[in-house]
Amino acid sequence: MAKKETIRVRFAPSPTGMLHLGNVRTALMNYLFAKKQNGDFVLRIEDTDPNRIFDKDGAQIIKDLLWFGLDYNEGPNKDGAYAPYIQSQRAKIYQEKLNELIEKNLVYRCFCTQEELDAKRKRQIALKLPPRYDRQCAQLSAAEIKEKLDAKKPFIWRMKLDPNKKIIINDLAHGTITFNLKHFSDFPLTRQNGTFTFMFANFVDDMIMNMSHVLRGEDHLSNTAGQAALYQAFNVPLPVFWHLPIICNTTGKKLSKRDFGFALDDLRTAGYLPEALVNYLAIIGG
Ligand code: GLU
């Protein structure tokens, strides 16, 4: 597939309030990657999950990034061809893209309740099967769907993955990775309240904002399978991925903002200079 010419990368944090050494390192890698190649470094605030909004419009994130010297070319408070850069303001775009998938019959409504999904999951675990959505709602007839819609049963849209398909991605850290879609669930694109999931909004924006590369934490590697299937559904070339190793705390878990001493705020208060932190983060491995 054709390679994108301009280097465009993005840092896409949820506005949970605080940057810490883990996610700021992702921002730094994106920034350096862009600057080295005369590319664009985009900031996008991913606020589709209402439980993760503690920093409205990402004001604290922006302040922290600027303290670090990581100014962005496009993002909130700046002009840019792909504005707005705050996901809660982009619902119309996600809906348009969802409509395209509905027209192509690549998605289906799932009416399962959370209790039903939990019960399925428990049963699969008890049977020592990998927990995955069993596609029950993919089998519904048109009449059954109409009946549920008439009864105003809440539903979500799920992506219809082809279990016979394998998807190959190119990752700068891991090399060629093959995902066998039969191991993945038909993941949700929307929530019952009509809002869009991280998986979908993040993909739509990367596609529309023309990202050439996606540099993000390794914890997103398994999401990449479903998102790669979305790129294929839209017949758009995949970006090149670089899943970065995760910085862990002393117990070996992913660094979180609750780990005292790693939040930028703590470090700033303790007197660390941004230049020293940037230097440290840039040399701890790629
Ligand atoms: N909002 C996601 C996060 O904070 C971004 C993941 C990505 O960079 O694709 O983890």
Side-chain angles (χ1 to χ4, degrees), residues 130-192:
R132 264 198 302 274
Y133 181 59
D134 62 4
R135 303 203 160 101
Q136 184 186 325
C137 288
Q139 326 299 332
L140 293 175
S141 67
E144 286 168 323
I145 294 172
K146 184 173 180 307
E147 191 185 307
K148 289 179 194 298
L149 288 176
D150 288 346
K152 304 247 174 310
K153 262 202 106 186
F155 67 87
I156 60 169
W157 286 100
R158 282 184 188 272
M159 179 72 181
K160 203 187 281 178
L161 293 179
D162 179 352
N164 301 316
K165 204 164 170 182
K166 289 186 181 147
I167 292 192
I168 297 172
I169 67 152
N170 173 12
D171 186 284
L172 292 180
H174 300 262
T176 303
I177 304 175
T178 305
F179 295 111
N180 196 334
L181 291 188
K182 74 172 185 210
H183 298 311
F184 290 84
S185 261
D186 286 349
F187 57 92
L189 304 181
T190 58
R191 302 190 185 89
Q192 284 189 343

Side-chain angles (χ1 to χ4, degrees), residues 98-107:
L98 175 63
N99 292 347
E100 288 179 36
L101 293 175
I102 295 171
E103 266 162 41
K104 291 186 193 167
N105 195 23
L106 290 173
V107 290

Side-chain angles (χ1 to χ4, degrees), residues 10 12-14 46 52 198 202 206 214-216 219-220:
R10 83 302 190 270
S14 301
E46 299 208 326
R52 300 186 72 198
F198 156 75
N202 176 271
D206 284 347
V214 169
L215 278 59
R216 59 182 178 184
D219 48 332
H220 286 290

Side-chain angles (χ1 to χ4, degrees), residues 4 43 92 183 186 215 231 241:
K4 296 183 179 117
L43 173 64
K92 201 168 152 255
H183 298 311
D186 286 349
L215 278 59
Y231 279 98
F241 290 92

